[in-house]
Structures are given as C-alpha cells and as structure tokens.
Amino acid sequence: MTDRAFRTTGLIYAMVGTILFGAKGIVMKLALDVGSTVEQMMTLRMGFSLPIFLIIGLLSLRKRPAKPEMKSMLLAAGLGILSYHLCTWLDFQGLRFTSAQLERLILFSYPTIVALLAWIFLGEKLTVRHAVSLGLSYAGIFLLFGRELSQQGQDVLFGSMLVFIAAILFAIYVTGSKPVIANLGSPLFTSIAMSAAGVSILIHSSITVGMGDMPEFSPLILTYGVILAIFCTALPSFMLSEAISRLGPGPTSA
C-alpha cells in the first residue's frame, strides 16, 4: 500500500468513526427519554461490547511474536478508563441538561485541545487551514449555546461545562494514545483500553445497583444498549485508533 493510500484509508476510518461516535449522543438521548439512566446505559454499552474487545485482544496477542511491555499495557488501560469511563460519564451527565446537538458540538471541539497538546508534546505543526476550521467549530458552539441558554436557563451552562471537561479528557486520550498505539498496535491498544474501561464501568454500575438506583431493563432500553455498544462504541473505537496510527492525533481529531 502506498503512503497516500495508507493515509487515505486512515482518513476514511476517522470520518466513519466520527459519524458513529457522533450518533452516541442521539441514542443516549432516546434512551434517557424512555426512562433509562446514565449508569444503566453505560453498563449496557460496556456489557455488550466487552466480549468483542476481549476476543479481539486475545487474537491480537496470539499474533504478536513477543509479549508486549507491561508499561504500555498499563498506559493503555489507564487511557481507556480516563476516556471511556470518566469522559463518557461526564458526557452522558451533560446530556441531561443540553440538547444532543449542543453536546456533540461541544464534545467535538476537542481537536483544538488535541492540536495544542500535539504541538506542545509531539511537535506537530498548527496550519492555517486547521486554525480556520477550529474557529468555525467554536463559532457554531457559541451560536447554539446562546440560543439554548436563552430557552432553557442556567442548567445548560452546567451541562455544557460537564461536556467540555469530557472534551478535554478525550483530547488527552487522543494525544497520549499515539505512542502507546505505536508500541502495541491499534487493535491490541483498543482492546486493552476498552476492556479496562468496561471492567471499571461494571464495578461502578454494581455499586449503583447496590444503592437501588438502576431502573428495569426493558426491551427498548436493551435495544438502545446493543446499538450503543456495537455501532457507537466497538466499531468507532477501533476505527479511531487505526486513524490515529495512520494520521497522527492532530489530523485525526480535525
């Protein structure tokens, strides 16, 4: 495969993965509207997707000629918990106070933070085209935020703050994952990161269940959970990791 074809494939992975990740907020909003909770949907999301990550992770390990370094595996696990547990929890909590449109717009402002982190720590350049596209993104955020603030009040401000913190954490994940992916390969990295996040989320959910805060798992909520797990978690997470491997964190996030 030529270098151009290699990068073009990475661009396709980034675009399709972004679309699928973007649908996460819509599916989550629909689930909340029928009586689900944030913790319940996180449980279903990871409960259904965890077997996929474990199987692919084991297959990736079998193909490796040597056992990966423990340091890289622990870094992958830590990045996964940071992004797909803490970041997701903050993002989903923010959805309780904002529309899915505003939540997506704020969360996908993370390329600005990635560009700054990649410039500081990885030596990547900031281009004019990159800066213009990021400026347009923030213009859209301010326009939509102003409209929702006037219609829904101060709750929108709190929800937007939670989502923006999630965007910062996701930017740290995207930037920090580049060297770890280089050591482990994108399939193994994704499997370790998502499996670690899945285990921590299930522990979190077991505590929630013990407190009696988990509603019933209706067929409709289970259906939303399956969609969230396969199409908005497993598929885009592997695509995003492969895109970062091929393009780097800055171009992928943009």
Side-chain angles (χ1 to χ4, degrees):
M1 183 181 293
T2 64
D3 182 65
R4 183 172 182 178
F6 185 78
R7 293 182 64 82
T8 300
T9 305
L11 178 61
I12 294 171
Y13 282 138
M15 291 173 63
V16 177
T18 297
I19 292 170
L20 293 176
F21 264 137
K24 178 185 69 175
I26 299 172
V27 176
M28 183 64 189
K29 199 72 173 177
L30 291 171
L32 292 175
D33 288 343
V34 297
S36 181
T37 64
V38 170
E39 287 75 16
Q40 185 180 39
M41 292 311 298
M42 288 178 65
T43 301
L44 292 175
R45 183 191 190 199
M46 284 305 177
F48 285 126
S49 62
L50 185 57
I52 300 173
F53 295 119
L54 290 174
I55 291 170
I56 294 179
L58 290 173
L59 291 174
S60 300
L61 277 173
R62 290 181 62 181
K63 291 180 180 179
R64 291 179 65 92
K67 186 178 179 180
E69 295 180 358
M70 181 58 67
K71 179 182 177 181
S72 296
M73 296 176 68
L74 290 175
L75 282 172
L79 286 168
I81 293 171
L82 172 71
S83 176
Y84 291 102
H85 185 173
L86 182 56
C87 171
T88 299
W89 185 82
L90 289 168
D91 181 31
F92 283 178
Q93 291 290 349
L95 264 171
R96 297 169 57 198
F97 307 101
T98 67
S99 67
Q101 296 95 318
L102 180 58
E103 178 265 348
R104 289 291 88 189
L105 206 55
I106 295 174
L107 188 63
F108 280 105
S109 69
Y110 77 88
T112 306
I113 308 163
V114 171
L116 290 174
L117 293 175
W119 175 57
I120 295 171
F121 296 105
L122 302 179
E124 291 191 2
K125 295 181 179 179
L126 288 173
T127 66
V128 174
R129 183 183 299 177
H130 199 168
V132 170
S133 65
L134 297 176
L136 290 173
S137 296
Y138 275 106
I141 291 172
F142 288 129
L143 285 172
L144 191 56
F145 175 78
R147 189 191 71 177
E148 292 206 13
L149 185 63
S150 64
Q151 293 178 351
Q152 301 184 38
Q154 294 299 315
D155 283 349
V156 174
L157 182 61
F158 178 68
S160 299
M161 180 186 69
L162 293 178
V163 177
F164 187 66
I165 294 173
I168 294 174
L169 296 180
F170 194 69
I172 294 173
Y173 165 80
V174 172
T175 308
S177 63
K178 170 67 174 178
V180 188
I181 291 174
N183 290 333
L184 297 177
S186 62
L188 182 57
F189 167 82
T190 305
S191 298
I192 294 173
M194 297 299 290
S195 296
V199 171
S200 66
I201 286 172
L202 292 176
I203 293 172
H204 179 175
S205 299
S206 67
I207 296 172
T208 302
V209 170
M211 295 172 63
D213 294 334
M214 191 77 77
E216 293 185 5
F217 290 88
S218 68
L220 185 55
I221 289 176
L222 288 172
T223 300
Y224 285 137
V226 172
I227 295 172
L228 200 61
I230 297 175
F231 298 103
C232 302
T233 302
L235 288 176
S237 62
F238 283 111
M239 289 179 178
L240 180 62
S241 294
E242 185 62 24
I244 294 171
S245 175
R246 293 171 182 246
L247 302 176
T252 297
S253 63

